[in-house]
Amino acid sequence: GFDSSHRNDESATFGRALISPVTGTVVFVVDGVDDNDGQKSFPRRSPNEAAQHPRWFYGNHIVLDAGGGVFVLLAHLKKGSVVVARGAAVQAGDPIAQAGNSGNTMLPHVHIQVMDGADPAHPSVSGIPALFRDYVEITTGGEKTERETIFRRLAAGDPPDGAIVLTPDAPRRAP
């Protein structure tokens, strides 16, 4: 029903458990931003407002310090779902939140960004390549009537934009 309603509770993504992708320390947490729902509450901000509050784009989010100058941002999390606090140590695979639809987004998803600083809104912080290990990558291509879906299990890589990434043992929901 999500294709027609665009309601969070009909999405296969909204509310899915999110695990820490790295071992590290929680350095920043925001959890109190309402989720957008049904594409009716999509927030619009003027460029001036966005410049004054640059972290608004991420909605509810967590920043992890993975060590060695590498930080991982997980954004657009479900309101009230974050289960870690600033300063907490996390292991790769620990539950940390749920996928949501908060911030500058119209559809439930999780934005993952690897960067060289803790503040994703700071002008000196740059993105760096991500390396995913032991994952399933789902991509699609082609035209509407002849779309192709490709499932690949990979030992390591950097998934392309728009790919769905799952752990190999992730439970699958029925469509």
Side-chain angles (χ1 to χ4, degrees):
F2 181 78
D3 288 343
S4 59
S5 74
H6 298 283
R7 289 177 38 123
N8 290 335
D9 62 355
E10 293 181 356
S11 162
T13 303
F14 189 78
R16 272 193 108 136
L18 177 64
I19 60 172
S20 178
V22 296
T23 295
T25 304
V26 178
V27 294
F28 199 77
V29 173
V30 172
D31 186 14
V33 179
D34 289 334
D35 288 286
N36 308 312
D37 198 16
Q39 293 188 339
K40 295 177 188 160
S41 59
F42 178 65
R44 291 180 174 37
R45 300 273 172 114
S46 71
N48 189 32
E49 286 176 301
Q52 291 174 348
H53 305 284
R55 286 179 207 86
W56 161 81
F57 285 101
Y58 309 112
N60 300 309
H61 62 282
I62 298 170
V63 177
L64 303 171
D65 181 347
V70 175
F71 297 84
V72 179
L73 165 73
L74 300 127
H76 309 306
L77 308 176
K78 181 179 177 185
K79 180 180 180 180
S81 74
V82 175
V83 296
V84 294
R86 186 176 182 165
V90 296
Q91 298 295 314
D94 285 352
I96 56 174
Q98 293 176 6
N101 192 14
S102 61
N104 187 36
T105 177
M106 295 175 65
L107 304 171
H109 72 285
V110 175
H111 173 95
I112 301 173
Q113 178 173 309
V114 183
M115 51 200 179
D116 62 3
D119 183 352
H122 195 280
S124 69
V125 172
S126 296
I128 56 178
L131 177 64
F132 285 63
R133 290 190 178 93
D134 190 22
Y135 67 99
V136 175
E137 175 185 284
I138 305 169
T139 56
T140 60
E143 298 299 319
K144 289 184 180 184
T145 58
E146 296 184 24
R147 291 193 62 83
E148 176 181 49
T149 301
I150 301 168
F151 292 76
R152 299 188 314 159
R153 183 166 181 175
L154 298 163
D158 184 7
D161 285 347
I164 295 172
V165 177
L166 301 170
T167 58
D169 58 351
R172 306 296 194 267
R173 285 189 183 176

